[in-house]
Amino acid sequence: MTFLGIELRRPSFNEITAATVMAVGLWVAVIGLAQASGHALQARDAGAVLVVAVWGCIGARLGFGVGKGGRHLAAHVGVSAVLLGLYQGALLLAS
């Protein structure tokens, strides 16, 4: 399957699980660094960081590599923008 001319791969369940665990670990590290530096994130901002971290890790398993060229970078930015838009919409509906 291709997306914007990028050949996608089908990761296994274990790869998706490992990518999700890695994303949560990165998220905890970012939250900890922000807290330690005195720039604590609000809950909404922390949720947005989590959404982007999970997409970044799972996207890499799907075959999107940020360092692989402009198409890959554009796909990452585009999907991140859509996910953040959906996240903001969900926040608006919840409040």
Side-chain angles (χ1 to χ4, degrees):
M1 179 154 100
T2 61
F3 178 75
L4 295 176
I6 301 168
E7 186 66 32
L8 300 179
R9 58 182 296 272
R10 185 179 199 142
S12 68
F13 178 79
N14 289 337
E15 288 177 313
I16 295 294
T17 303
T20 304
V21 169
M22 183 170 57
V24 171
L26 289 171
W27 177 71
V28 168
V30 167
I31 299 301
L33 286 172
Q35 183 76 24
S37 68
H39 296 76
L41 297 174
Q42 300 294 324
R44 292 175 181 236
D45 297 333
V49 171
L50 180 61
V51 167
V52 172
V54 169
W55 161 245
C57 292
I58 291 177
R61 294 289 183 169
L62 289 172
F64 295 104
V66 176
K68 292 183 180 178
R71 286 185 184 172
H72 291 266
L73 182 60
H76 261 293
V77 170
V79 172
S80 292
V82 169
L83 289 174
L84 287 174
L86 291 170
Y87 176 71
Q88 289 297 318
L91 287 176
L92 285 174
L93 289 175
S95 60

